[in-house]
Amino acid sequence: MSETATGSAKDKLLAFKAEDRVSDPASVEMLDKAVTDCVDTCFGRVDTQRSVCAFGKNCYLGPCRITPKAPRGVCGANADTIVARNYVREVAGGVAAHSDHGRRLVLLLHKVAQGRGGSYRIADEPALRRAARAYGVEEQGRAKEAVALDLANLFISEFNRQEDPLATLKLAPNRRQGVWRKREVQPSGIDRMVVEALHRTHIGVDHDYRNLLLHAFRVSLADGWGGSRIASIVSDILFGTPSPVRSRANLGVLGAKTVNILVHGHEPALSEMLAIASREPEIVAAAKAAGAEGLTLAGICCTANEILIRHGIPVAGNFLQQELAIITGAVEMLITDVQCCLPSLPEVAQAYHTEVISTSDTAKTIGSSHVPFDEGNALENARALLRRAIANFKNRNPRKVAIPKASQPLVAGFSVAAIKYMLGGTYRASFRPLNDAIIQGRIKGLVGIVGCTNPRTKSDAYVNALTRELVKRDFIVLKTGCAAIASAKTGLLTPEAALEIAGPGFREVCEAVGIPPVLHMGSCVDNSRLLEAATEVVLEGGLGDDLADVPAVGVAPEWMSEKAIAIGCYFVASGIDVILGHPFHIGGSENVTRFLNQETRELFGASFQVCTEPQEAAEKIMEIIVRKRERLGINRQAERKLYDMKDRRALDV
Ligand code: BF8
């Protein structure tokens, strides 16, 4: 009986009656014994974790607050376990979002291959055949539909395979595949990896923070070399491989006298159809009949990036501009699909005439009108939405309209195929000129600047300051997501403007091959294109035989979403260092922080670093790149060489 427990240690361990906490005599007996043996149990720890968070977390023993006085949660998990668990769940959330996006496209390809795709078709047969060859699907002499069906089935198996590693991992350089094998982080089926992440982080499963964090990297690889990569490949097959296209960005793209429709979110299937329908003469005529001068279709966030890089549809803004776009008073309809669409949008829209329409059954918002998108009638759905927006034009209140003038020209759409073509032409498409420029030192290295905008810092400021600094220092900058839009709005995506600030050697290369120094490669799932580009550099030769050898760094200055965490992880697991503008929520565990910021270097050849200022990030990038260049034996200052006509012909551009 607990009354027998005496002494201060025992009092601390059992400041309660055992009978009040357990019902059966065996347990009462053992609780008493625990006191005698000075062993702490969850029955004691629950008293040190009384201030329960009302917002909830992933376990109802707590949520626990770990402090020096209460170093273990009720179940016994310490800070390392809790922080690692939460981190794995964040990564899994990001992977799930990207990969579900990929899955929907794969299922659409499956339908198209069987002639059940409605208005959709295989828009880019060379992209289909390229992908088939990459995955070992027989394509020669076969109808495109048959090839597409085999490829779609293979992609479906990437989601549900149970034990074998993902086939997509084979797109990575051999050495990197070896690293993943050695570290035992090769992911199997994408869905299985996400399920396993949730399983491991359930109470009472995986408690070893290292083991947990290794799964964070494993599941992230199922994104970058799985769901996201597949999403980009299938988007190219269904909607066309992006190639450079001119357009404009910022709220000034909205028309004062046109019906304005914004698409917002991530999945491209509906927005593709809206892009087509918005140009149909009947729709334009309907807009004119309603008193407008026509229609302006524009985008927010990554849906914007998808239709920008394929159709040149203008971008109204990035993540932090979604509410501001409505506040122009000039938006007839804002159509959301999934991810990054704020739940506040309908409330903001109440002050104006804007109709907010949600279209995905997985993403509804109170206050939005829900119009489920039916892929089988996609073009009809798109036309109906546009007609509804046109009908709303008469409700626009001119007194509430104020469209900013600001918008900047841009060039976007740099898929790897497009870059290869620009570098080598149709017959000799290759990365050779880029590799040579890096080896000669005219280009110091590749930097991917990706991710979100975040109201905790001045929006877009870090992204653009760093971009300018890097271009000045002869880095080629690859961009995706909201970071790409941030730079578009300041004119950094025009070759002319960016070339003005580029270092002299780099500028010569850009001018010679006709490539701008800042390349917009697409949406957030298209971060897989950055890995594809780094892989091309390795395969081209002369810059090592692993991704970790390539002078390349990833930066997420203003990140905020779980997807950004997943991206960071698959970059690091791929051997590419990642700089964050602000830290993960891991400060509660020194061990987890050390693992992610240091120990991963031993495992993968790369790690995370936090630089809260752009200048600090630029210095850190220089340090990493110089180290890599030294290891490659190419860290010498190249003689400045002006390209003459012979050189230019040699580059075949
Ligand atoms: O996926 S960059 S705010 S829109 S999460 Fe979201 Fe971040 Fe923008 Fe594209 Ni990516």
Side-chain angles (χ1 to χ4, degrees):
M1 288 291 171
S2 58
E3 285 82 12
T4 59
T6 54
S8 63
K10 290 179 183 177
D11 289 346
K12 195 173 155 222
L13 285 167
L14 191 51
F16 54 82
K17 280 190 174 179
E19 296 90 330
D20 291 344
R21 298 292 170 94
V22 290
S23 301
D24 67 285
S27 299
V28 172
E29 194 182 326
M30 284 305 101
L31 259 186
D32 280 340
K33 183 171 186 300
V35 176
T36 307
D37 297 351
C38 287
V39 177
D40 194 15
T41 67
C42 59
F43 298 98
R45 287 190 299 270
V46 79
D47 289 330
T48 62
Q49 297 290 348
R50 282 287 173 209
S51 57
V52 168
C53 165
F55 289 89
K57 209 50 189 163
N58 56 15
C59 153
Y60 280 77
L61 287 185
C64 302
R65 298 245 178 269
I66 301 300
T67 64
K69 280 191 179 162
R72 287 188 180 269
V74 176
C75 71
N78 63 11
D80 298 337
T81 305
I82 293 172
V83 169
R85 261 188 203 157
N86 291 339
Y87 187 77
V88 172
R89 286 205 164 203
E90 288 176 344
V91 176
V95 175
H98 275 157
S99 298
D100 227 20
H101 169 161
R103 179 205 319 281
R104 285 174 214 231
L105 292 166
V106 168
L107 295 177
L108 182 56
L109 179 66
H110 197 248
K111 286 189 190 126
V112 168
Q114 295 169 308
R116 300 188 291 117
S119 318
Y120 297 99
R121 62 192 175 86
I122 294 164
D124 192 339
E125 192 175 333
L128 169 74
R129 295 189 182 277
R130 234 179 5 246
R133 288 194 295 277
Y135 280 90
V137 170
E138 185 57 51
E139 58 89 16
Q140 273 196 342
R142 298 180 72 202
K144 60 179 191 275
E145 291 77 14
V147 177
L149 187 58
D150 282 357
L151 197 59
N153 281 327
L154 191 152
F155 286 150
I156 289 169
S157 78
E158 290 288 79
F159 285 86
N160 59 23
R161 65 176 69 224
Q162 298 301 309
E163 289 182 328
D164 299 336
L166 289 180
T168 307
L169 300 181
K170 295 210 175 81
L171 304 185
N174 284 335
R175 271 275 301 282
R176 187 50 29 181
Q177 292 179 47
V179 170
W180 295 332
R181 264 194 304 276
K182 185 170 169 198
R183 302 303 179 195
E184 298 181 349
V185 293
Q186 287 179 298
S188 184
I190 299 159
D191 292 348
R192 222 212 92 187
M193 291 300 99
V194 174
V195 168
E196 189 175 315
L198 296 181
H199 178 193
R200 281 170 181 258
T201 53
H202 187 276
I203 176 179
V205 187
D206 200 352
H207 304 132
D208 177 337
Y209 73 91
R210 282 198 177 87
N211 207 39
L212 280 162
L213 294 173
L214 280 175
H215 191 69
F217 288 102
R218 189 178 294 114
V219 71
S220 79
L221 288 170
D223 178 1
W225 297 91
S228 276
R229 185 67 181 269
I230 290 169
S232 297
I233 291 171
V234 178
S235 295
D236 290 355
I237 294 169
L238 288 174
F239 313 128
T241 303
S243 58
V245 59
R246 286 192 181 271
S247 189
R248 298 191 75 85
N250 214 343
L251 294 172
V253 303
L254 297 173
K257 294 181 179 167
T258 59
V259 176
N260 293 311
I261 298 125
L262 292 178
V263 285
H264 176 22
H266 286 76
E267 291 180 354
L270 172 60
S271 54
E272 272 292 315
M273 289 298 144
L274 286 163
I276 294 166
S278 68
R279 288 167 176 164
E280 289 180 340
E282 301 78 23
I283 295 288
V284 177
K288 288 185 176 163
E293 285 184 357
L295 244 105
T296 299
L297 178 69
I300 303 267
C301 285
C302 284
T303 304
N305 284 325
E306 295 279 357
I307 50 176
L308 165 71
I309 60 177
R310 295 195 176 87
H311 300 282
I313 300 284
V315 179
N318 51 6
F319 177 67
L320 290 182
Q321 289 177 291
Q322 53 190 290
E323 293 171 312
L324 307 183
I326 296 175
I327 293 169
T328 62
V331 176
E332 274 58 54
M333 183 175 280
L334 189 152
I335 303 167
T336 62
D337 52 83
V338 293
Q339 301 167 24
C340 302
C341 305
L342 296 179
S344 60
L345 292 177
E347 210 175 313
V348 175
Q350 270 180 14
Y352 309 92
H353 72 304
T354 307
E355 234 198 319
V356 181
I357 305 273
S358 57
T359 55
S360 166
D361 288 345
T362 47
K364 294 186 181 178
T365 302
I366 290 178
S368 289
S369 304
H370 190 63
V371 180
F373 170 49
D374 170 15
E375 278 173 355
N377 280 309
L379 196 52
E380 271 313 311
N381 279 193
R383 288 179 187 133
L385 285 170
L386 295 179
R387 287 187 187 279
R388 187 162 160 171
I390 290 166
N392 194 24
F393 182 67
K394 64 177 180 301
N395 297 320
R396 189 188 285 188
N397 180 347
R399 287 194 310 279
K400 286 193 171 181
V401 173
I403 304 173
K405 290 215 169 13
S407 80
Q408 287 287 334
L410 65 95
V411 179
F414 292 92
S415 60
V416 169
I419 297 172
K420 264 183 161 179
Y421 170 75
M422 293 194 78
L423 288 168
T426 309
Y427 299 106
R428 288 200 292 132
S430 104
F431 265 45
R432 193 69 252 159
L434 178 68
N435 280 32
D436 286 345
I438 295 172
I439 291 165
Q440 292 156 3
R442 290 172 207 292
I443 295 176
K444 294 268 181 344
L446 306 141
V447 180
I449 302 184
V450 308
C452 322
T453 53
N454 189 324
R456 290 183 188 280
T457 57
K458 185 175 171 183
S459 75
D460 305 340
Y462 188 142
V463 167
N464 288 328
L466 181 60
T467 304
R468 284 176 191 282
E469 186 59 31
L470 292 173
V471 170
K472 208 164 79 190
R473 295 187 189 203
D474 299 323
F475 286 95
I476 186 159
V477 180
L478 313 178
K479 297 221 156 196
T480 58
C482 289
I485 300 173
S487 293
K489 288 186 287 171
T490 55
L492 276 168
L493 296 191
T494 56
E496 304 80 14
L499 279 174
E500 273 172 30
I501 55 170
F506 183 28
R507 189 165 57 229
E508 281 168 16
V509 178
C510 291
E511 284 169 345
V513 299
I515 203 164
V518 183
L519 306 180
H520 185 330
M521 297 185 79
S523 66
C524 263
V525 294
D526 291 327
N527 280 310
S528 61
R529 295 189 202 272
L530 271 60
L531 297 178
E532 190 189 352
T535 302
E536 286 293 336
V537 169
V538 171
L539 298 180
E540 189 56 49
L543 288 168
D545 54 5
D546 182 20
L547 294 170
D549 299 331
V550 177
V553 177
V555 195
E558 301 173 34
W559 70 275
M560 62 85 199
S561 77
E562 290 176 332
K563 290 181 290 174
I565 306 177
I567 293 162
C569 277
Y570 71 64
F571 267 56
V572 167
S574 299
I576 298 171
D577 284 279
V578 170
I579 292 174
L580 304 168
H582 57 99
F584 298 129
H585 289 157
I586 55 171
S589 166
E590 279 178 25
N591 282 330
V592 170
T593 304
R594 189 169 43 248
F595 186 93
L596 294 176
N597 295 358
Q598 292 172 32
E599 291 175 33
T600 45
R601 186 161 298 287
E602 289 297 308
L603 297 169
F604 303 121
S607 67
F608 289 103
Q609 325 261 341
V610 178
C611 296
T612 53
E613 297 297 328
Q615 201 60 32
E616 184 193 354
E619 297 306 331
K620 179 57 74 181
I621 289 166
M622 281 304 286
E623 190 188 308
I624 295 167
I625 295 290
V626 164
R627 201 170 59 225
K628 295 204 174 200
R629 293 184 66 87
E630 268 168 6
R631 217 178 295 141
L632 288 165
I634 57 168
N635 195 36
R636 55 186 184 273
Q637 190 58 45
E639 266 176 55
R640 186 155 179 246
K641 175 177 187 278
L642 289 169
Y643 279 76
D644 57 20
M645 278 317 291
K646 192 164 156 252
D647 293 323
R648 285 169 193 240
R649 271 196 298 274
L651 288 164
D652 193 21
V653 290

